[in-house]
Amino acid sequence: MANLLYGTGMRLMECVRLRVKDVDFERREILIRDGKGAKDRITLLPESLADPLQAYLLHRRMLFDDDSRLGKASVYLPDALERKYPNAATDWVWQYIFPAGSFSTDPRSGVERRHHIDEKLLQRAMKKAVQASGIAKLATPHTLRHSFATHLPDSGYDIRTIQALLGHQDVHTTMIYTPVLNKGGRGVRSPLDM
């Protein structure tokens, strides 16, 4: 999950709520549904994550098959999709990629099912990793999104492309990631360094 956050620029909850149907391995794209501002957007699927994610989904499919045998393979569907597509809740493509470790009762419907993983688990894992690394700065899963956005201008990508990948409505929000603005001293080189 941390690799996806850094490699795609997704927000934590966008990653947690990712469903099987949202990943297009052929086009190397991830469709992020109902992101911040209730907007959809497309981001990239890093080449280096395609094979590991496909291998992971094979194991994830076995869990889904086990849940199906127990009659507990349904997932929450947004809006009126459950009424529109009555069998979609138990379809493989609608399953969360990162499921919870156990079943819970959905307070909206009273149905016992497997929800997505709790975002606090990734937050805690990130905190432990940062502490273990000896990094003396605060870093959260959102830091990985910032790192993604900061490294793109360094690689020559234009601000509009970065804006689209991050799902920012206003380009000024994206501008904080440009290399000149992101350097100390407003990007000015000291005469001493020249």
Side-chain angles (χ1 to χ4, degrees):
M1 290 177 72
N3 282 335
L4 274 174
L5 294 180
Y6 174 64
T8 66
M10 280 192 278
R11 294 176 179 91
L12 173 62
M13 290 308 295
E14 293 169 345
C15 182
V16 164
R17 293 180 178 144
L18 202 59
R19 296 181 191 252
V20 173
K21 67 178 189 55
D22 297 332
V23 179
D24 187 335
F25 288 99
E26 193 172 301
R27 294 183 60 147
R28 296 292 195 252
E29 292 179 344
I30 297 176
L31 176 59
I32 298 170
R33 297 229 179 241
D34 200 23
K36 190 172 182 180
K39 296 189 177 183
D40 296 349
R41 74 176 190 281
I42 294 175
T43 191
L44 66 148
L45 171 62
E47 291 285 332
S48 61
L49 293 182
D51 288 342
L53 187 56
Q54 282 182 314
Y56 168 79
L57 285 175
L58 291 175
H59 293 287
R60 172 64 183 97
R61 179 65 193 240
M62 290 189 296
L63 178 64
F64 167 71
D65 291 340
D66 290 344
D67 290 351
S68 293
R69 283 189 280 281
L70 295 172
K72 295 183 180 182
S74 95
V75 291
Y76 165 75
L77 295 179
D79 306 319
L81 287 174
E82 201 146 17
R83 284 194 312 274
K84 188 173 181 181
Y85 305 112
N87 297 323
T90 56
D91 193 346
W92 164 242
V93 299
W94 282 94
Q95 300 298 305
Y96 292 111
I97 290 179
F98 303 107
S102 60
F103 300 107
S104 59
T105 302
D106 186 333
R108 294 169 290 244
S109 65
V111 175
E112 186 180 32
R113 55 179 153 210
R114 195 178 297 277
H115 200 52
H116 59 66
I117 192 170
D118 186 339
E119 68 275 11
K120 290 180 185 77
L121 294 174
L122 182 56
Q123 290 169 328
R124 288 182 196 128
M126 178 88 178
K127 185 175 182 177
K128 283 182 184 178
V130 170
Q131 289 171 340
S133 72
I135 296 172
K137 292 186 178 186
L138 178 65
T140 66
H142 200 72
T143 306
L144 299 172
R145 175 177 163 83
H146 285 289
S147 296
F148 167 83
T150 302
H151 292 148
L152 289 179
D154 290 344
S155 300
Y157 292 99
D158 66 279
I159 200 72
R160 295 293 181 181
T161 300
I162 299 165
Q163 177 187 8
L165 291 171
L166 293 174
H168 289 158
Q169 187 169 356
D170 188 346
V171 74
H172 289 94
T173 308
T174 313
M175 292 294 287
I176 65 170
Y177 300 112
T178 58
V180 171
L181 295 177
N182 209 21
K183 292 181 181 171
R186 303 231 181 258
V188 176
R189 287 186 67 196
S190 168
L192 185 64
D193 295 332
M194 290 185 195

